[in-house]
Amino acid sequence: MVVWPVQKFLQDRRDTRKLFLILALGGYGVILVIILLISFRVAKPLKELVFVAKKLGGGNFDVVIPKVSGRDEVAEFATAFSNMLSTLKAHIEKEKDMKRIERELDLARNIQLSMLPGAERDENSEDDRHELAPFLLPAKEVGGDFYDFFKIDNDHLCVVVGDVSGKGVAAALFMMVARIILRTMSKNLKSVVDVFNKTNS
């Protein structure tokens, strides 16, 4: 038979319960600290990135990506998000430049085509002895191909077909200058040879 003092037995039980209670509270405290750390380290940056993503979705590309230090997945995600924003902004700027260039080329094309005669009536060149049907389709938006026709007098019609070396705006500008000079020379000189020699000069 084992004899154990009742008071000591009850005291040991109380001490054991206190120890378990202290350990449980300590464990809960540690878990709470870990949860707060995780919330501060992971949840807060993720919420900020979600906020930035919503701003981007609304078309605001000037938002600032929050900096996340460290080498974990959240930091890598923030870096990747920042790189994506930079690439997206560069792409948008490039698209804006392309649209601006397209608008300018369309304008140049319209200017070029508006300088060329569209019908005999436009140039007061109508005559029963001929019928002209002009047409121009540049390989690019603008180019150096050109034509022109106009009456020098009642019995002479000047028809010019040309091609400036190269393509693009520079060739179109050269074409327009050449057309103006050819017209001027043709109306002032009678010889085709003289017209081209003066124009080349």
Side-chain angles (χ1 to χ4, degrees):
M1 185 175 173
V2 177
V3 178
W4 192 271
V6 173
Q7 292 299 328
K8 182 165 179 46
F9 175 73
L10 293 176
Q11 184 64 37
D12 287 344
R13 280 183 63 187
R14 283 194 291 270
D15 291 344
T16 304
R17 273 199 297 240
K18 280 183 186 177
L19 179 62
F20 276 117
L21 186 62
I22 290 168
L23 288 174
L25 289 174
Y28 285 128
V30 169
I31 289 170
L32 183 62
V33 169
I34 290 171
I35 288 171
L36 289 174
L37 284 173
I38 289 173
S39 175
F40 183 77
R41 182 76 186 96
V42 176
K44 187 181 175 203
L46 285 177
K47 283 181 181 177
E48 290 174 351
L49 290 172
V50 167
F51 176 75
V52 169
K54 286 180 180 177
K55 289 278 188 183
L56 284 173
N60 182 2
F61 297 100
D62 295 324
V63 292
V64 179
I65 304 291
K67 290 184 179 178
V68 181
S69 58
R71 297 187 178 185
D72 57 2
E73 289 80 4
V74 178
E76 286 180 11
F77 180 68
T79 303
F81 205 78
S82 180
N83 292 339
M84 180 197 74
L85 178 60
S86 300
T87 305
L88 192 59
K89 283 171 107 173
H91 181 70
I92 288 169
E93 287 302 317
K94 188 176 177 183
E95 285 290 317
K96 284 181 183 175
D97 288 341
M98 290 298 292
K99 285 182 181 176
R100 180 183 54 80
I101 290 168
E102 283 176 9
R103 282 195 304 270
E104 290 176 1
L105 286 174
D106 283 341
L107 179 63
R109 176 190 174 90
N110 291 336
I111 291 170
Q112 179 189 20
L113 294 178
S114 68
M115 287 197 67
L116 299 175
E120 291 180 275
R121 187 180 303 123
D122 297 340
E123 296 297 322
N124 296 319
S125 300
E126 288 181 293
D127 199 308
D128 294 336
R129 293 171 286 181
H130 58 74
E131 184 178 345
L132 302 174
F135 176 75
L136 177 67
L137 181 64
K140 294 188 176 178
E141 286 81 359
V142 290
D145 302 329
F146 77 100
Y147 66 86
D148 197 10
F149 60 87
F150 52 92
K151 274 197 169 183
I152 296 172
D153 55 40
N154 288 333
D155 294 319
H156 293 87
L157 177 72
C158 179
V159 178
V160 182
V161 177
D163 184 9
V164 178
S165 297
K167 302 289 179 193
V169 176
L173 291 173
F174 192 87
M175 177 276 286
M176 287 188 262
V177 171
R179 178 178 181 263
I180 292 166
I181 295 172
L182 276 167
R183 274 188 168 231
T184 305
M185 294 302 168
S186 298
K187 289 184 177 180
N188 293 318
L189 300 169
K190 297 299 180 186
S191 167
V192 175
V193 174
D194 290 342
V195 168
F196 278 101
N197 283 337
K198 289 285 186 181
T199 299
N200 285 332
S201 297

